[in-house]
Amino acid sequence: MYEEYAFVAARMTAADLAVMFSSEACTSKAVGPLTIWGPGAASMVNARRQPGYALHDRPQLNFPVTEYVVAPIDRTDRQLPHGLLVGEGDAPSFPEPNSAWRAFFEGDFALAGARSPSSDLATVRVAEQGAWIGSVHITATELKVTVEGDDVHGVNLELYGVTGRRVQRADTPGHIVIPLPHGLPAHAWLWLKRGTNWLDYRSIDPASAWTGDLRRAGVEIDLPVDPVATMEALIASGEGPRLEFKQMLPTRDDRRTLKTVAAFANGDGGAIVFGIHRDEVTITGIAEEKPSTRMRDEFGNLVRATVQPTPDFEIKEYRLDGKLIFILEVEPGQSPPYGLVTPSTRDKQPEYFVRRGANTYGAQPDELRTIVLLKNGQQGSSAGWK
């Protein structure tokens, strides 16, 4: 609650939502299979199909939907004016209301962003459950796709690529295996279609801007890794919200690196590359005072002893020009918040951290509440906010 604004969010059933609007006071609109009532709604309802795992959806859904947007008759009264938004007491302050909207409803506390609040009355998504693309697993020799849905009979799964194209029919839900004798073709897309109508689609090209994060798009890729290409790609991308470079492995007395592990787990995950000079360009390698397998095991034990609860992580070993490189990959945590403890003082409260840009910071209580709510599926909940 602010002087001129209140940000309110809640998860509720459609039936509970319906009682908030009176059919006598509001006009009705047909929204796909539903009828909704809303105050001051325009006569036109815009509809568009969206595939599963749509890249910019918030929240992202793993099945296709038809999205209906109910616009107001007059949009001028629905725009948030610019101006400082100063919170009383421990309520956070913002330079303008759009930043507050992103923070409260999307958990994004960055003060710069292109996404602004919608001026529409409502967005309704209706699941298209006839047939859709489920999990996708890519290896060096084959592509395995799961087709799901209530009406799969007679659909075709198309693999499109620059150097190869193939179509296979599906009549029941299950797995379809497409051989890849020459590997995954460049600019690869999957289309699930019936006749000339698409049911679902997905870009599965790791280099495509349409794809985004393959894991977030439900794509598991298991291909031979070229360590040189991997390191060149990481170095070229530079440090950021999900990547950090370190010259040496941490010790029990050096907690800075482990703060970043906790921050990655509290956010979208990330990777730390060990053996890179502070200039973020030169590959120095890790000093090998003992066998690399022992170093990797000791490092993993340090992470497990220090970051609680322990997130899913993997330590990968590479050698470039004889130099040892470790990459610690941290998965987005499913049981936040993740904190840092000192193994010798277990009675001390954990310390919590978040990632902002290319740096790690101590987490504020409001940030921790938002992290927990988002991970529990309560997108936009305002519990605990003043």
Side-chain angles (χ1 to χ4, degrees):
M1 188 74 186
Y2 292 82
E3 183 177 353
E4 297 182 27
Y5 307 101
F7 294 86
V8 182
R11 293 173 62 88
M12 60 179 64
T13 66
D16 290 336
L17 183 63
V19 301
M20 297 178 61
F21 300 98
S22 165
S23 59
E24 290 80 15
C26 303
T27 57
S28 64
K29 302 292 174 192
V31 177
L34 308 175
T35 300
I36 69 169
W37 287 264
S43 58
M44 180 70 70
V45 175
N46 295 318
R48 65 171 180 168
R49 289 283 308 280
Q50 288 275 77
Y53 294 96
L55 184 58
H56 299 293
D57 272 359
R58 298 281 185 94
Q60 190 180 60
L61 302 176
N62 59 1
F63 49 82
V65 300
T66 300
E67 184 177 273
Y68 300 89
V69 177
V70 182
I73 295 175
D74 185 1
R75 290 182 179 270
T76 58
D77 294 335
R78 300 186 59 80
Q79 300 292 333
L80 288 176
H82 285 275
L84 297 175
L85 199 64
V86 180
E88 183 178 358
D90 61 356
S93 301
F94 300 92
E96 38 78 33
N98 287 354
S99 296
W101 180 86
R102 291 191 297 269
F104 284 119
F105 297 115
E106 296 188 344
D108 179 7
F109 281 80
L111 296 181
R115 186 174 174 85
S116 297
S118 171
S119 60
D120 295 310
L121 282 176
T123 299
V124 180
R125 291 174 173 179
V126 178
E128 299 289 346
Q129 297 184 312
W132 70 88
I133 299 170
S135 61
V136 178
H137 185 201
I138 305 170
T139 71
T141 58
E142 68 178 23
L143 171 66
K144 187 175 183 180
V145 181
T146 303
V147 176
E148 304 181 31
D150 300 329
D151 183 17
V152 176
H153 181 75
V155 304
N156 287 311
L157 178 69
E158 174 190 350
L159 169 63
Y160 171 88
V162 172
T163 56
R165 292 159 292 282
R166 183 164 178 170
V167 176
Q168 285 193 208
R169 180 184 171 101
D171 288 306
T172 59
H175 299 303
I176 294 179
V177 177
I178 300 177
L180 301 174
H182 305 292
L184 185 70
H187 302 288
W189 282 64
L190 287 173
W191 296 87
L192 192 65
K193 58 189 182 180
R194 180 180 280 117
T196 59
N197 296 318
W198 70 266
L199 304 175
D200 199 5
Y201 61 82
R202 198 175 312 172
S203 170
I204 57 172
D205 180 2
S208 172
W210 290 91
T211 306
D213 187 333
L214 280 174
R215 285 180 295 184
R216 294 191 180 193
V219 178
E220 181 182 355
I221 188 165
D222 184 16
L223 300 176
V225 175
D226 179 350
V228 175
T230 298
M231 292 305 306
E232 288 178 347
L234 287 173
I235 292 174
S237 61
E239 289 191 334
R242 301 186 61 204
L243 180 63
E244 185 161 294
F245 299 135
K246 293 293 182 182
Q247 189 165 348
M248 298 179 294
L249 291 175
T251 65
R252 287 185 175 272
D253 298 326
D254 178 14
R255 307 174 73 243
R256 290 173 294 178
T257 299
L258 300 172
K259 292 179 182 179
T260 302
V261 175
F264 281 159
N266 283 327
D268 295 328
I272 306 176
V273 184
F274 296 91
I276 305 295
H277 191 269
R278 65 181 62 184
D279 63 10
E280 302 183 18
V281 174
T282 306
I283 299 176
T284 61
I286 303 170
E288 297 187 62
E289 301 172 351
K290 59 189 75 172
S292 63
T293 54
R294 182 179 171 186
M295 295 171 62
R296 192 168 66 244
D297 291 342
E298 290 179 353
F299 181 31
N301 291 335
L302 179 60
V303 173
R304 282 184 281 270
T306 309
V307 183
Q308 298 294 325
T310 302
D312 291 334
F313 69 91
E314 183 178 2
I315 302 172
K316 297 181 179 179
E317 176 181 331
Y318 298 94
R319 286 194 180 272
L320 300 178
D321 297 327
K323 298 175 182 177
L324 177 63
I325 304 293
F326 281 171
I327 298 181
L328 172 64
E329 296 181 351
V330 183
E331 295 291 331
Q334 300 303 311
S335 302
Y338 292 81
L340 213 60
V341 299
T342 302
S344 60
T345 56
R346 287 284 183 172
D347 56 335
K348 186 178 179 181
Q349 289 295 319
E351 297 178 78
Y352 300 99
F353 302 90
V354 293
R355 192 76 172 169
R356 302 189 198 120
N359 296 298
T360 299
Y361 297 91
Q364 300 300 313
D366 293 332
E367 291 176 304
L368 292 179
R369 283 195 291 268
T370 299
I371 290 169
V372 173
L373 292 172
L374 289 175
K375 292 294 183 180
N376 289 334
Q378 302 179 43
Q379 182 109 7
S381 174
S382 59
W385 295 98
K386 290 187 178 181

